[in-house]
Amino acid sequence: MTLDNHYSGSALLTDLYQLTMAYGYWKSGKGEEQAVFNLYFRKHPFQGGFTISCGLESVVHYLENYSFSESDIAYLASLTGADGQPLFESGFLEYLRELKFSCDLDAIPEGTLVFPDEPLIRVTGPVIQCQLLETALLNIVNFESLIATKAARIRLVAPEDTLLEFGLRRAQGPDGGITASRAAYIGGFDGTSNVFAGRKFNIPVKGTHAHSWVMSFPSEKEAFEAYAAHMPNNVILLVDTYDTLKGVKNAIEVGRELKKNNHRLLGVRLDSGDLAYLSIESRKLLDDNGFTDTSIVASNDLDEYIIKSLKEQGARIDAWGVGTRLVTAYDQPALGGVYKLSALKKSDGTWDYKLKLSEQMVKVSTPGVLQVRRFSKNGVFVADMIFNQEDEWEGETRMIHPYDFTKQQSFGPGYSFEDLLVPIFRNGGLVAELPGITDIKERAARQLKSIYEGTLRFTNPHTYHVGLEKHLFDLKTRLIMEKRAGK
Amino acid sequence: MTLDNHYSGSALLTDLYQLTMAYGYWKSGKGEEQAVFNLYFRKHPFQGGFTISCGLESVVHYLENYSFSESDIAYLASLTGADGQPLFESGFLEYLRELKFSCDLDAIPEGTLVFPDEPLIRVTGPVIQCQLLETALLNIVNFESLIATKAARIRLVAPEDTLLEFGLRRAQGPDGGITASRAAYIGGFDGTSNVFAGRKFNIPVKGTHAHSWVMSFPSEKEAFEAYAAHMPNNVILLVDTYDTLKGVKNAIEVGRELKKNNHRLLGVRLDSGDLAYLSIESRKLLDDNGFTDTSIVASNDLDEYIIKSLKEQGARIDAWGVGTRLVTAYDQPALGGVYKLSALKKSDGTWDYKLKLSEQMVKVSTPGVLQVRRFSKNGVFVADMIFNQEDEWEGETRMIHPYDFTKQQSFGPGYSFEDLLVPIFRNGGLVAELPGITDIKERAARQLKSIYEGTLRFTNPHTYHVGLEKHLFDLKTRLIMEKRAGK
């Protein structure tokens, strides 16, 4: 047994209400009605100005294997309601047993900068299927995008350094760790300590030794010597088991022996104490003894704020091991993605556009068969416009702020554009070629270089413009007015 | 394919440094030396006064299947060091291929109240194996204990209400959600929306419908009628798609029809807005129309603080759906468990006790073959004493505060006691019978009733006494002094 299939296709990876609704659709005879659902979020994580999309590959693996097994069906047959009678009748369970994923799915590729209200995934197909998929799709995309974004923020404060993800022991379960390793790599990290993730996703793995190695020898010096003797091509010594600067001195002595044998003291690692002070003092000791090319690695509850602060204090750290606060997205451990119905096909083949009302404007959903158009000028992203694919218009494109119609913007021939959602599945068949992890990682890095840098800062970031195309804005306004009037 | 084996035994679920250290032990010829490692945490989560242990069952499943597969070995053989040469020589990989878990493992049963510095798990066996297991054990126990504790805190503010876990869509990956469902149930929840977890762990599953169900019909009224017609034994209606109190009125009309057919409007659900006001008004509407036994269910970013506040405001809510903030432990998404070497067996068969020094006293590890003795008086827990199983003493037991030796406590015949760590594996074979989930859940509830309630409060909780038995305290002090003297 391995964990390789942790994103397998179990259709039970859902909330019960998706199944009771599916049952209701089936009973109502509307289960095969074509619906459009959009997955989007309303607010960037970490009070930031951007999010990196991630998780599509996991979604594809999930959908490729999507099915109800015999034991799933038996379990559902055992569920009962308030009167002790079965929740589901056998005809419906038979329907589930035969169910195959047959939807169209369009998505924004992994590693793309994305913004509030933009559909990251659009599912079009029988309303039962669209509904059943909600929970798994949200679970996957929310978490992976969250971690890729966190990693990108850390990369922003340490553009030239080595960034290593060390989080498995504090992650939220095994696949919390494994998935975080992948998302962190995409977001800008260089490697992971997680061996399983390294193999599964082809990510460089890093690691040397812990305090227990040192403690298992009579002295730190002997522990260092033994390590260097046994693995001379991977010597980064953890120097803080007893006394950090004494540890550096011991490492230097071992480094001298390594040199004699044409090996190298690659680094020392600091895992506690005042990392600014200790790294500066360690650098001096190393340089004074001719170890100018020996790196200093630091770990211990790091995140983008602490790394930034350490750099401002003049810390001499070349490589950062980041664990807990990266893989759990410690300061905001969930992205609040949602998945909303936006259209249902009428019997005459036209769309009935759908909207969820709310007292809060930001919680009112957007109707339509949605697509996102990204406008650029001179290679820099200028604005994203959400539009209804069914609408056509001539001449200049007008975009309206979703919550303030006095803010409008027009795009003429001076702009280039790209539509972000691309076809992934058609009638349940995979039609996209999935990029390799390195391509996704490079895409993320390029995207971050293609946007005004104020968008990337941590405090009061610049708000990148996202709006609704004018026809869509008018449709949404009309539906809101109708709903408020109780129609 | 299913997710059933998400805690399978892949030995690659570890940090690379565990493998490089294992290699070093093997090269040094000390791989089979007997070691003792303890898994413990230093601080309760959520600034609280207690933690509920959870995760042992997952640990057992992991260890029962623990092995390196052929593909694991092939992957490890492909790893290289700074000089491009392999990290591991083939003899070591052969050793890993044959490796079988053969340690002793003692643990505190799931559902037990546990406190800082207490070993929750003690592993005794060949140092290589003890080392390799660190990451997976921490990953499992940290997360599950964190969520069980969060759930218990929510149960404390709503002792009589129905508590439902709704978090899968916002959890950190699929098994983040599945595992959280189990831990939440153990910590005091009544059910989950997560169907996969429901089947896997035999947890009651709950759910009815979402906004999309209402939106897919021409009107809310028609949506409610259709739902009640199709699933009359499971009618809890979500009333806030357009206008909450109008929604309650529509639900009442549907409830009248249900009554005529000997069914019942079980509840209405509020998912947005001012839950205090809306629940009070909904209760009035329901009562005035004879629906006194119809429950009010609330959801929307709830946690123990918000539920407490809503109750203080007189909210009339009978059942709470808690998602994001429970399954991610939003305000502290990681428990900081650690795993430290505490003893190595010398060639003469006696123990060489080990200690990791730190500038911060709380980070100095405890040496010994550790066990935890819980003293009670009249059925109430009084204090936990960590002791070295190898020590024997006569007469009264003396316990000393781990960081302030002026605080001492003695236990004579007036106290009853229980040793918390029980044998789980002996020489790699499972010797414990694992309790069912209901037994674990009941144990947690009983434990919470067996402790001074000030320990359970959220703000400045009473600190439950945990100390070191005098001989252990003396040993630790001696080793600290020796290490500080550079011995």
Side-chain angles (χ1 to χ4, degrees):
Chain A
M1 289 205 289
T2 76
L3 280 158
D4 275 332
N5 54 353
H6 69 292
Y7 280 144
S8 62
S10 175
L12 288 200
L13 192 67
T14 193
D15 293 303
L16 183 65
Y17 79 176
Q18 315 287 11
L19 282 155
T20 50
M21 283 189 279
Y23 181 64
Y25 292 131
W26 181 80
K27 288 281 282 185
S28 308
K30 41 193 269 179
E32 300 306 308
E33 277 181 22
Q34 294 293 299
V36 180
F37 278 77
N38 301 293
L39 187 156
Y40 61 99
F41 61 87
R42 298 180 182 124
K43 204 167 171 296
H44 290 300
F46 320 120
Q47 310 193 319
F50 71 96
T51 300
I52 306 265
S53 66
C54 196
L56 184 58
E57 185 174 305
S58 302
V59 166
V60 168
H61 291 325
Y62 180 74
L63 295 176
E64 284 191 301
N65 296 297
Y66 186 81
S67 70
F68 289 88
S69 69
E70 286 304 315
S71 69
D72 295 343
I73 298 292
Y75 174 69
L76 294 177
S78 75
L79 299 178
T80 53
D83 57 358
Q85 295 300 306
L87 272 190
F88 304 111
E89 50 182 77
S90 59
F92 175 67
L93 298 176
E94 196 51 47
Y95 172 85
L96 294 183
R97 183 184 276 119
E98 302 298 323
L99 187 68
K100 290 203 172 16
F101 173 65
S102 68
C103 298
D104 291 353
L105 186 143
D106 296 78
I108 298 180
E110 292 190 281
T112 306
L113 281 174
V114 288
F115 298 90
D117 300 332
E118 298 178 357
L120 309 191
I121 292 182
R122 185 184 79 211
V123 187
T124 311
V127 64
I128 283 189
Q129 289 185 43
C130 295
Q131 190 73 68
L132 287 172
L133 297 175
E134 171 173 12
T135 311
L137 265 49
L138 284 171
N139 174 286
I140 293 167
V141 173
N142 274 331
F143 179 51
E144 299 197 34
S145 300
L146 182 76
I147 302 303
T149 306
K150 188 72 175 171
R153 291 165 60 87
I154 297 170
R155 172 51 76 195
L156 285 171
V157 299
E160 307 298 332
D161 300 342
T162 299
L163 292 177
L164 305 171
E165 175 270 309
F166 283 175
L168 178 57
R169 66 187 55 200
R170 301 279 169 78
Q172 298 208 341
D175 83 5
I178 294 162
T179 304
S181 298
R182 176 180 185 270
Y185 188 63
I186 287 172
F189 270 56
D190 297 303
T192 179
S193 65
N194 180 337
V195 189
F196 193 97
R199 186 193 60 179
K200 184 172 167 69
F201 301 118
N202 199 22
I203 304 172
V205 288
K206 301 287 173 190
T208 57
H209 76 86
H211 297 120
S212 53
W213 173 265
V214 176
M215 290 158 69
S216 79
F217 284 82
S219 71
E220 182 182 65
K221 183 85 186 303
E222 286 160 270
F224 288 177
E225 284 166 352
Y227 188 88
H230 300 321
M231 197 167 259
N233 62 357
N234 185 39
V235 184
I236 296 175
L237 298 171
L238 176 62
V239 291
D240 72 339
T241 305
Y242 305 119
D243 178 313
T244 304
L245 297 178
K246 275 189 205 162
V248 175
K249 288 173 194 158
N250 281 331
I252 286 169
E253 288 189 48
V254 170
R256 289 209 180 91
E257 290 303 308
L258 279 167
K259 272 189 187 170
K260 288 182 194 159
N261 301 303
N262 291 318
H263 286 294
R264 207 153 81 66
L265 177 64
L266 301 172
V268 296
R269 180 159 75 94
L270 315 174
D271 187 42
S272 61
D274 179 338
L275 295 177
Y277 170 79
L278 291 170
S279 67
I280 292 166
E281 295 302 313
S282 298
R283 186 75 269 159
K284 276 187 211 155
L285 283 169
L286 290 166
D287 289 352
D288 290 351
N289 287 279
F291 289 88
T292 52
D293 63 348
T294 293
S295 295
I296 297 178
V297 186
S299 48
N300 193 18
D301 283 339
L302 300 172
D303 64 14
E304 65 271 45
Y305 302 104
I306 294 170
I307 293 174
K308 191 162 185 272
S309 163
L310 283 166
K311 286 181 163 286
E312 286 163 2
Q313 295 166 59
R316 299 293 302 276
I317 295 165
D318 309 289
W320 308 82
V322 188
T324 314
R325 292 177 187 224
L326 167 59
V327 302
T328 66
Y330 204 81
D331 51 334
Q332 188 191 317
L335 178 65
V338 295
Y339 179 88
K340 297 288 174 193
L341 175 67
S342 64
L344 264 178
K345 198 161 252 176
K346 290 186 281 198
S347 49
D348 66 2
T350 64
W351 290 107
D352 187 11
Y353 294 118
K354 296 294 183 178
L355 169 133
K356 168 174 175 345
L357 212 55
S358 170
E359 294 300 315
Q360 297 160 265
M361 197 57 193
V362 70
K363 283 197 162 185
V364 177
S365 66
T366 302
V369 183
L370 303 178
Q371 172 62 282
V372 182
R373 183 161 293 179
R374 176 160 296 169
F375 290 98
S376 300
K377 205 161 195 172
N378 305 321
V380 177
F381 303 154
V382 175
D384 286 5
M385 180 185 78
I386 303 167
F387 66 104
N388 180 6
Q389 277 199 168
E390 305 293 301
D391 286 330
E392 288 175 26
W393 62 92
E394 287 181 9
E396 261 195 0
T397 297
R398 260 174 83 198
M399 182 177 101
I400 305 180
H401 189 287
Y403 314 122
D404 178 356
F405 72 91
T406 65
K407 291 186 185 157
Q408 307 204 358
Q409 215 169 342
S410 288
F411 301 99
Y415 295 88
S416 60
F417 69 83
E418 182 188 14
D419 288 347
L420 298 184
L421 289 145
V422 299
I424 307 296
F425 285 94
R426 284 294 173 265
N427 300 312
L430 184 65
V431 295
E433 206 171 316
L434 294 181
I437 192 166
T438 313
D439 291 338
I440 300 171
K441 183 180 174 62
E442 287 170 2
R443 178 181 177 86
R446 275 198 315 275
Q447 291 261 319
L448 288 162
K449 292 208 170 99
S450 307
I451 198 160
Y452 167 60
E453 37 170 33
T455 314
L456 308 178
R457 72 174 175 246
F458 298 161
T459 309
N460 297 329
H462 171 76
T463 301
Y464 180 77
H465 288 198
V466 178
L468 303 182
E469 190 278 326
K470 184 180 182 308
H471 299 78
L472 178 59
F473 183 88
D474 292 345
L475 170 67
K476 184 171 182 174
T477 306
R478 178 168 63 76
L479 290 180
I480 292 173
M481 305 292 273
E482 283 178 12
K483 286 290 168 199
R484 291 228 195 279
K487 279 180 196 162
Chain B
M1 289 206 288
T2 75
L3 280 159
D4 274 332
N5 52 354
H6 69 292
Y7 279 144
S8 61
S10 175
L12 289 200
L13 191 67
T14 193
D15 293 304
L16 183 65
Y17 79 176
Q18 314 289 10
L19 282 154
T20 51
M21 283 190 279
Y23 181 65
Y25 292 130
W26 181 80
K27 289 280 284 186
S28 307
K30 43 192 267 180
E32 301 306 309
E33 276 181 22
Q34 295 292 298
V36 180
F37 279 76
N38 303 293
L39 187 156
Y40 62 98
F41 61 88
R42 297 181 182 124
K43 203 167 170 296
H44 291 298
F46 319 118
Q47 310 193 319
F50 71 96
T51 300
I52 305 265
S53 66
C54 195
L56 184 57
E57 185 174 304
S58 302
V59 166
V60 168
H61 291 325
Y62 180 74
L63 295 176
E64 283 191 301
N65 296 297
Y66 186 81
S67 70
F68 288 89
S69 69
E70 285 305 315
S71 69
D72 295 343
I73 298 294
Y75 174 69
L76 294 177
S78 76
L79 299 178
T80 54
D83 57 358
Q85 295 300 307
L87 272 189
F88 305 111
E89 52 182 75
S90 59
F92 175 66
L93 297 177
E94 196 52 47
Y95 173 87
L96 293 184
R97 183 183 276 120
E98 302 297 325
L99 187 68
K100 289 203 174 13
F101 173 65
S102 68
C103 298
D104 291 353
L105 186 143
D106 296 78
I108 298 181
E110 292 190 280
T112 306
L113 281 173
V114 289
F115 298 90
D117 300 332
E118 298 178 357
L120 309 191
I121 292 182
R122 185 183 80 211
V123 187
T124 311
V127 65
I128 284 190
Q129 289 185 43
C130 294
Q131 191 72 67
L132 287 172
L133 297 176
E134 171 174 12
T135 311
L137 266 49
L138 283 171
N139 174 286
I140 293 167
V141 173
N142 274 331
F143 180 52
E144 299 197 33
S145 300
L146 182 75
I147 303 301
T149 306
K150 188 72 175 170
R153 290 165 61 87
I154 297 171
R155 172 51 77 196
L156 285 170
V157 299
E160 307 298 332
D161 300 342
T162 299
L163 292 177
L164 305 172
E165 176 270 308
F166 283 176
L168 178 57
R169 66 187 55 199
R170 301 279 170 77
Q172 298 207 341
D175 82 5
I178 294 163
T179 304
S181 298
R182 177 181 185 269
Y185 188 62
I186 287 172
F189 270 58
D190 296 304
T192 178
S193 65
N194 182 336
V195 189
F196 193 98
R199 186 192 62 179
K200 185 172 165 68
F201 300 118
N202 200 21
I203 304 172
V205 288
K206 301 288 174 189
T208 57
H209 75 87
H211 297 119
S212 54
W213 174 263
V214 175
M215 291 158 69
S216 79
F217 285 83
S219 71
E220 184 183 65
K221 183 85 186 302
E222 287 160 272
F224 287 178
E225 283 166 352
Y227 188 88
H230 300 321
M231 197 167 259
N233 61 356
N234 185 39
V235 185
I236 295 176
L237 299 170
L238 176 61
V239 291
D240 72 338
T241 304
Y242 305 119
D243 177 314
T244 304
L245 297 178
K246 275 189 204 159
V248 175
K249 287 173 194 159
N250 281 331
I252 286 170
E253 289 188 48
V254 170
R256 289 210 180 91
E257 291 302 309
L258 280 167
K259 272 190 188 171
K260 288 183 196 160
N261 300 303
N262 290 318
H263 286 295
R264 210 156 77 67
L265 177 64
L266 300 172
V268 296
R269 180 159 75 95
L270 315 174
D271 188 42
S272 61
D274 179 338
L275 295 177
Y277 169 78
L278 291 171
S279 67
I280 291 167
E281 294 302 313
S282 298
R283 185 76 268 158
K284 275 187 210 155
L285 283 169
L286 290 166
D287 289 352
D288 290 350
N289 287 279
F291 289 88
T292 51
D293 63 348
T294 293
S295 295
I296 297 177
V297 186
S299 48
N300 193 19
D301 282 339
L302 300 173
D303 65 12
E304 65 271 43
Y305 302 104
I306 294 170
I307 293 174
K308 191 161 184 271
S309 163
L310 283 167
K311 286 180 162 284
E312 285 163 3
Q313 296 166 59
R316 299 293 302 275
I317 295 166
D318 310 288
W320 308 84
V322 189
T324 314
R325 293 176 186 223
L326 167 60
V327 302
T328 65
Y330 205 81
D331 51 333
Q332 188 191 318
L335 178 66
V338 296
Y339 180 88
K340 298 287 174 194
L341 175 67
S342 64
L344 265 177
K345 197 163 253 177
K346 289 186 282 199
S347 50
D348 67 1
T350 63
W351 290 107
D352 187 9
Y353 295 119
K354 295 293 181 179
L355 170 133
K356 170 179 174 337
L357 212 55
S358 170
E359 294 299 315
Q360 297 160 264
M361 197 57 193
V362 68
K363 283 195 161 187
V364 177
S365 66
T366 303
V369 183
L370 303 178
Q371 172 61 284
V372 183
R373 183 161 294 180
R374 175 160 295 170
F375 290 97
S376 300
K377 205 161 196 172
N378 305 320
V380 177
F381 303 154
V382 174
D384 286 6
M385 181 185 78
I386 303 167
F387 66 103
N388 180 6
Q389 277 198 168
E390 305 292 300
D391 287 331
E392 288 174 28
W393 62 91
E394 287 180 9
E396 262 196 359
T397 296
R398 259 174 83 198
M399 182 176 101
I400 305 181
H401 188 287
Y403 314 122
D404 179 356
F405 72 90
T406 64
K407 291 186 185 158
Q408 307 205 359
Q409 213 169 342
S410 288
F411 301 99
Y415 295 87
S416 60
F417 69 81
E418 183 188 14
D419 288 347
L420 297 184
L421 289 146
V422 298
I424 307 294
F425 286 93
R426 283 295 173 264
N427 300 312
L430 184 66
V431 295
E433 206 170 317
L434 294 182
I437 193 167
T438 312
D439 291 339
I440 300 171
K441 183 180 175 61
E442 286 170 2
R443 179 181 176 86
R446 275 197 316 274
Q447 291 260 319
L448 288 161
K449 293 209 171 98
S450 307
I451 200 160
Y452 168 58
E453 40 171 29
T455 314
L456 308 178
R457 72 174 175 246
F458 298 161
T459 309
N460 297 328
H462 172 75
T463 301
Y464 180 76
H465 288 197
V466 177
L468 303 182
E469 190 279 325
K470 185 181 182 308
H471 297 79
L472 177 60
F473 184 90
D474 292 344
L475 170 67
K476 183 170 182 174
T477 305
R478 179 168 63 76
L479 290 180
I480 293 173
M481 305 293 273
E482 284 178 14
K483 286 290 166 199
R484 291 227 195 278
K487 278 183 197 162

